[in-house]
Amino acid sequence: MATCLSNKFVITKGVDNNFVLTIKQNDSTLPMELTPTDSFKISLLKLGTSDTVLEKYATLDSNLLSGKIHVLLTKVECDLLETDKGNKVDRYYLKPTYKLVIDCKTTNNGDFIAKVPEVYVD
């Protein structure tokens, strides 16, 4: 299995994309302890218009102490997303197309919103 490190949140077309996100405690780098009743609604919004293009719920990791949630975007869902790239002279660099909003409802931290302000589609 190959791993590529990047600071960008990139969705790849043509395949299923399985993302693992860690929900952190307030003002800490430590993961939040989740409970079975916690829910995380994922919304993918188009930049500029904020139109919702995809909504789904994340699943909780089996180890609730890890603070991890899983988001599976199927190949079909990914292939419907728009890709935006720069010009040939600029080596076709990816431009962000969406933002990700996570509506979090937790027992240990109440309700809050988490955001990934720039999402790229390759």
Side-chain angles (χ1 to χ4, degrees), residues 39-56:
S39 69
F40 300 89
K41 181 179 173 185
I42 309 298
S43 299
L44 195 61
L45 309 175
K46 187 155 178 62
L47 288 178
T49 65
S50 291
D51 291 339
T52 302
V53 296
L54 179 68
E55 281 187 335
K56 64 186 341 177

Side-chain angles (χ1 to χ4, degrees), residues 50-91:
S50 291
D51 291 339
T52 302
V53 296
L54 179 68
E55 281 187 335
K56 64 186 341 177
Y57 281 88
T59 56
L60 303 179
D61 193 85
S62 58
N63 176 5
L64 296 175
L65 296 175
S66 72
K68 293 181 180 176
I69 61 172
H70 298 265
V71 180
L72 174 64
L73 301 180
T74 66
K75 176 188 179 304
V76 172
E77 291 168 330
C78 295
D79 287 349
L80 294 174
L81 300 176
E82 295 178 26
T83 299
D84 193 9
K85 294 185 179 183
N87 296 322
K88 180 178 180 179
V89 70
D90 295 323
R91 301 180 189 248

Side-chain angles (χ1 to χ4, degrees), residues 110-121:
D111 298 350
F112 61 96
I113 301 288
K115 297 178 185 178
V116 177
E118 294 182 334
V119 176
Y120 301 80
V121 179

